[in-house]
Amino acid sequence: MSADEADAAVRYEPDDRCPERVSISVALQGVLLVVAPTVLLASFAAQASDQDDSYVSWAVFAALLASGILTAWQASRVGRFGAGLVFMVSASPSYVAISILALSEGGPTMLSSLTAAAAISYVLLSFWLPKLRKIITPLVSGTVLMLIAVTLLPVCFNGIRNVPDGTLAAGGPIVGLVTLIAATGLALRARGAWRIWAPLITIGAGCGVALLFGMYDAGVIVEAPWIGLPGAGFPDFEPNFGVSFWSLLPVFALVALVDGIKNIGDNVLVQQHSWRTRRVTDFRRVQGSINVTGAGLVLAGAVGSPPLCSYGTYSVALTSFTQVAARRVGVYIGAGLVAVALLPKLSAVLLAVPGPVAGSYLLSIAGLLFVGGIRTALHGGLGARDAVILGVAFALGAGIEQDTLIADLLGDVWGPLANNGVMVGAFSAVVMVMLSNFIGGRDRSRLDATLSTACLPELDEFLSGLAARLRWNDVSTQRLRSAGEETLMSLVDLDETAPNGAVPRLIVVARPADAVVELEFMAVFDDENLEDRLAYLGEEAEAAPGSVDASAMTLRLLRHYTSSVQHQKYHGLDVVTVQVSGSR
């Protein structure tokens, strides 16, 4: 289902009052979507690092509890916290490999400390999002996601090889193959309700074959109580800020930052599927989601849960199938996850899943994560410069995962940090992107002014000078000046409704490229979004072609003079970007 089809099919938007019966029914389906990956990922990292059963049980309980609280919080938009959408929270596959490292180095205490400390990335991302958008580009995020998938592969195959004593060694690969076939087949063919049940069907198919090989331990389910809390396993908080902590902290912070960037894309996706009519992304909801996810890392560290992250794919699948996007459903999903956390018998069913099943299931997730990284990196096209950045950064990261050359040179203090392929690849990509921005930004120009019609002569002089430096002809120069004027008038028109009456500051940044100038207008606004109005103009023209007001005429002229218009809203900042083509 396309985004437009999903939007048209929505029966209950986020702020609509959804009937109680419908809300509960949809919430139960949402719980089914989240429970399986949350339990499997939480238990897999603990078991792969040889933690005892008491911690495994506690990690699963804490992950379900924290996921429930955060899912409900995301739906409840309070101040700058929460997306106000059905945005489900679950354990993140991005953290599995580094969680195993943390547990192996310092046990649950080390993992809890690193999880809580990594929340600083979300705080920085929330406050610096408008400025980071030029550095943490889709190219950087895509590179990191691809490297995370690469680091997961050895972990997955170790799980597939992990068979109980006394069972056939070949049983692991056979069970893993059946699980992978089930996951792939459902991903390719599942529609409607089958998408909701796909994770459980995949795990069920793998466990059915594992039972034939004697790998499924039903005793775990029999021994688990129906209701209660884990008797032990809560990590003792005695932070050890040694070499292991400081070598792993940058990696955790980086993965948290990348998950935060992915959180932005997921939130955009959820917004596109939550309304009956297509809307431009409200980045204030994005920042609210980031704030909750950052607070969620602190909560996860405090209760001993593995790191968590918000996932839009679960929400989109649920909304597309049920046509319900009411945020009340998100609150009920959160309550359902907390209830499952208090029912050990239910989570024990998934805790008993054999290693080959869990490893193969995670392998399918790693494959999708790698493809998602490719799509992210290719967002907006892949020019020659971007191709070099992607290729070099990925090659460095993947190579470091296979060899300890740099780590051996740096010694015991800095060696562990340089031995992480995700960290090296991400650092390389960021440095190359910044260098590329610096080289490409040497010709950029900037204008600081007050957002009002009084600054029009100053803006016109600024753009005329820019066109003269580029040696554009008269027609292109006039187009550039007209585009700047109409953009300014559109922003002034939007600012007239500002409740505080304050006149915001206007910053215009011009970035020349090949036969194109990108103009970025930055100012502070409240609610109205320029792209919403541009999208509305086409419908208005068809409905009433004779009724056009002055502001609508301004927007039509802006669309005529420019090749693209984008508007993004942040807390305290609006960014309008237009592109104008020209020639000499």
Side-chain angles (χ1 to χ4, degrees):
M1 178 179 290
S2 66
D4 293 332
E5 290 170 340
D7 294 341
V10 172
R11 289 186 297 159
Y12 298 100
E13 293 186 337
D15 296 323
D16 290 347
R17 287 191 60 84
C18 182
E20 203 75 18
R21 179 180 58 82
V22 175
S23 298
I24 294 175
S25 174
V26 175
L28 289 175
Q29 298 176 68
V31 170
L32 290 175
L33 269 175
V34 178
V35 163
T38 300
V39 173
L40 282 183
L41 293 177
S43 61
F44 188 87
Q47 292 169 343
S49 56
D50 296 325
Q51 301 299 309
D52 56 36
D53 293 340
S54 62
Y55 173 70
V56 174
S57 299
W58 182 270
V60 169
F61 163 76
L64 289 171
L65 178 67
S67 295
I69 294 173
L70 296 174
T71 298
W73 197 0
Q74 286 284 25
S76 305
R77 192 179 184 188
V78 180
R80 293 193 174 190
F81 285 85
L85 303 166
V86 180
F87 204 11
M88 288 177 270
V89 179
S90 174
S92 172
S94 303
Y95 290 98
V96 171
I98 58 176
S99 294
I100 294 174
L101 286 176
L103 288 169
S104 300
E105 289 288 338
T109 301
M110 177 73 75
L111 178 60
S112 295
S113 301
L114 289 167
T115 299
I120 189 65
S121 294
Y122 280 87
V123 177
L124 295 176
L125 184 62
S126 179
F127 283 100
W128 289 79
L129 176 59
K131 297 180 180 180
L132 284 174
R133 72 189 191 281
K134 295 298 182 184
I135 299 175
I136 309 300
T137 62
L139 185 66
V140 174
S141 299
T143 302
V144 174
L145 289 174
M146 292 163 63
L147 289 172
I148 290 174
V150 170
T151 60
L152 273 177
L153 295 180
V155 176
C156 298
F157 282 99
N158 286 337
I160 293 174
R161 282 197 294 262
N162 183 20
V163 297
D165 295 335
T167 58
L168 185 64
I174 295 174
V175 170
L177 180 61
V178 171
T179 306
L180 188 61
I181 291 174
T184 305
L186 288 168
L188 292 174
R189 305 298 300 174
R191 296 292 184 273
W194 291 103
R195 296 175 65 185
I196 304 295
W197 291 94
L200 292 178
I201 294 175
T202 299
I203 296 169
C207 289
V209 179
L211 187 63
L212 299 177
F213 286 92
M215 297 181 187
Y216 192 85
D217 184 12
V220 176
I221 304 172
V222 175
E223 295 173 1
W226 280 103
I227 301 176
L229 300 174
F234 184 75
D236 298 325
F237 286 102
E238 297 178 0
N240 178 13
F241 300 111
V243 174
S244 297
F245 176 86
W246 293 111
S247 63
L248 287 173
L249 179 59
V251 185
F252 267 79
L254 173 65
V255 174
L257 185 61
V258 172
D259 257 7
I261 298 295
K262 185 176 182 296
N263 186 297
I264 295 174
D266 283 354
N267 189 284
V268 170
L269 189 65
V270 172
Q271 288 191 46
Q272 291 175 352
H273 286 77
S274 295
W275 311 98
R276 297 185 188 94
T277 56
R278 188 69 174 264
R279 298 189 183 187
V280 177
T281 302
D282 183 352
F283 277 83
R284 292 166 297 183
R285 291 184 183 269
V286 174
Q287 286 181 311
S289 170
I290 291 173
N291 292 339
V292 168
T293 309
L297 284 178
V298 177
L299 175 64
V303 301
S305 165
L308 306 172
C309 189
S310 303
Y311 278 95
T313 50
Y314 299 147
S315 302
V316 170
L318 185 66
T319 302
S320 299
F321 173 61
T322 64
Q323 303 175 6
V324 175
R327 57 180 181 169
R328 174 186 291 184
V329 172
V331 175
Y332 289 173
I333 292 174
L337 290 172
V338 173
V340 173
L342 299 173
L343 299 172
K345 185 75 74 175
L346 295 181
S347 57
V349 175
L350 292 169
L351 274 175
V353 171
V357 177
S360 186
Y361 179 77
L362 186 58
L363 181 64
S364 66
I365 294 178
L368 294 176
L369 192 63
F370 186 85
V371 174
I374 295 176
R375 289 179 175 175
T376 302
L378 295 180
H379 179 74
L382 189 69
R385 186 176 298 176
D386 292 341
V388 171
I389 295 174
L390 176 62
V392 172
F394 180 79
L396 281 173
I400 290 298
E401 283 296 317
Q402 309 299 324
D403 197 284
T404 61
L405 173 63
I406 299 180
D408 294 339
L409 293 175
L410 295 179
D412 295 335
V413 177
W414 296 103
L417 178 59
N419 197 37
N420 188 281
V422 176
M423 189 68 199
V424 172
F427 180 77
S428 304
V430 168
V431 169
M432 286 186 284
V433 166
M434 293 178 66
L435 181 61
S436 176
N437 289 342
F438 174 75
I439 295 174
R442 287 182 297 179
D443 296 330
R444 74 176 183 177
S445 305
R446 172 173 170 145
L447 171 68
D448 288 86
T450 299
L451 181 58
S452 66
T453 55
C455 76
L456 184 57
E458 187 177 2
L459 176 63
D460 187 70
E461 181 181 357
F462 170 74
L463 295 177
S464 298
L466 174 64
R469 290 196 303 272
L470 296 175
R471 299 180 181 179
W472 278 11
N473 57 34
D474 293 340
V475 175
S476 300
T477 300
Q478 185 59 43
R479 185 186 305 118
L480 180 65
R481 295 170 58 195
S482 300
E485 177 182 350
E486 299 306 330
T487 303
L488 173 64
M489 297 306 296
S490 299
L491 297 178
V492 169
D493 180 65
L494 293 178
D495 183 57
E496 289 177 354
T497 61
N500 56 9
V503 179
R505 177 187 176 195
L506 174 67
I507 301 174
V508 182
V509 178
R511 297 185 180 87
D514 296 335
V516 174
V517 170
E518 180 183 87
L519 298 177
E520 188 175 65
F521 291 73
M522 289 175 278
V524 177
F525 297 98
D526 287 302
D527 296 320
E528 197 165 5
N529 194 305
L530 186 61
E531 272 193 328
D532 272 331
R533 300 181 66 191
L534 285 171
Y536 173 71
L537 285 177
E539 300 176 4
E540 181 187 32
E542 294 180 2
S547 59
V548 180
D549 60 17
S551 63
M553 181 62 72
T554 299
L555 293 176
R556 278 199 174 88
L557 288 171
L558 176 58
R559 186 169 59 182
H560 171 73
Y561 291 126
T562 63
S563 56
S564 71
V565 180
Q566 295 180 347
H567 184 205
Q568 296 173 305
K569 299 181 74 68
Y570 307 92
H571 283 300
L573 175 67
D574 269 32
V575 182
V576 178
T577 305
V578 300
Q579 288 188 345
V580 183
S581 301
S583 58
R584 297 183 178 182

